[in-house]
Amino acid sequence: MSAKIFVPFFLALCLTAGARDLQQAQAPASGASKPVADLLFVLSAQKATFTDANTLTLTGVTSTAQFYGSGARAGIIPTTVFVNGTAGGSYVSSNGEWLNNPTATLFGFGDNNAQTSLIMTLASPQVSSDGETVTFDVSVVSNGDASIKTIKGVANEVVEESATQANYLQTAVQPGATLSNIALFVDSNREAIKPIAQTKTFWWWGPHWGWGGGWGCGWGCGGGYGWGK
Ligand SMILES: *[C@@H]1O[C@H](CO)[C@@H](O)[C@H](O)[C@H]1NC(C)=O
């Protein structure tokens, strides 16, 4: 195979991908159907405390959050970067919402070491300077899929499982309740958070997802984390 044939073919692919991204970026934000959860973030912690019904405090948080895209696209993000909810934070949109106030599923162990889970909307994260304590405003989901912002995500699966497993999912929270050995799974969608990414020049989804601005920076140019080529 000669380079003469290969090079134009590669360019054509890039142009096609660019045009498709442009169309998607201009599509109306509110569609009739919910987006597929094609991006997952995971934050781990030693303990979760509901200081009141709408405030979740995680303590002993790991120093990095993990993300998983389609296939084997995965990586880590420093916790202080991921849950920086202040204006200008890497995952905060121009209207001030962190990750579009996503739906997340909290797994942990409660009384008698019984595993349980709660589904909730997360908003306004606050992180301590050492990254070990993270607080969210939360709204616990009690009506199953109706309040979940994505389809085919962790939260949707947990709702399905809960239909046949007693106590697998809690739909109300007692103020003061604590859980241990926490994993918080945040369902997200790449297209839905693209407007956030467009305001941060260092965000990059890698060659086949990008919308321009320089191939191959990965998540956090210069930071050395995230994917990309
Ligand atoms: C959060 O992001 C803002 C805006 O970029 C920045 O000024 C601040 O230092 C960040 N906070 C942390 C804890 O990294």
Side-chain angles (χ1 to χ4, degrees):
M1 183 68 61
S2 82
K4 266 182 202 161
I5 295 169
F6 178 75
V7 169
F9 177 65
F10 178 72
L11 281 176
L13 273 184
C14 289
L15 290 172
T16 308
R20 193 178 58 234
D21 279 337
L22 196 61
Q23 278 170 0
Q24 284 168 346
Q26 286 164 349
S30 59
S33 57
K34 296 183 188 184
V36 171
D38 59 4
L39 179 62
L40 176 67
F41 298 93
V42 186
L43 193 60
S44 300
Q46 284 168 6
K47 192 175 163 189
T49 305
F50 289 90
T51 40
D52 60 54
N54 294 109
T55 310
L56 169 66
T57 300
L58 301 179
T59 48
V61 179
T62 52
S63 56
T64 56
Q66 302 168 7
F67 67 83
Y68 303 88
S70 56
R73 287 171 196 260
I76 57 174
I77 308 158
T79 297
T80 50
V81 173
F82 178 58
V83 286
N84 183 341
T86 62
S90 297
Y91 298 84
V92 178
S93 62
S94 53
N95 68 1
E97 289 184 356
W98 176 79
L99 274 182
N100 297 331
N101 295 351
T103 306
T105 308
L106 182 114
F107 286 96
F109 295 84
D111 294 342
N112 306 319
N113 230 14
Q115 194 191 323
T116 190
S117 60
L118 292 120
I119 297 172
M120 62 197 77
T121 303
L122 298 180
S124 308
Q126 288 181 278
V127 57
S128 60
S129 55
D130 61 9
E132 288 180 16
T133 303
V134 179
T135 303
F136 293 97
D137 291 346
V138 298
S139 174
V140 173
V141 168
S142 57
N143 57 346
D145 276 326
S147 294
I148 295 174
K149 294 188 169 179
T150 50
I151 56 169
K152 299 185 179 177
V154 173
N156 309 97
E157 181 68 24
V158 166
V159 166
E160 203 175 313
E161 291 282 321
S162 71
T164 54
Q165 289 193 53
N167 303 322
Y168 186 72
L169 177 65
Q170 292 180 33
T171 53
V173 63
Q174 298 300 321
T178 62
L179 296 170
S180 61
N181 298 317
I182 303 303
L184 183 68
F185 290 79
V186 182
D187 288 315
S188 192
N189 171 272
R190 295 194 304 250
E191 284 299 321
I193 62 173
K194 196 182 268 190
I196 306 176
Q198 281 171 328
T199 66
K200 328 277 177 183
T201 53
F202 56 86
W203 265 51
W204 194 246
W205 295 106
H208 300 293
W209 306 349
W211 60 85
W215 299 97
C217 251
W219 216 316
C221 256
Y225 42 85
W227 67 65
K229 290 273 164 72

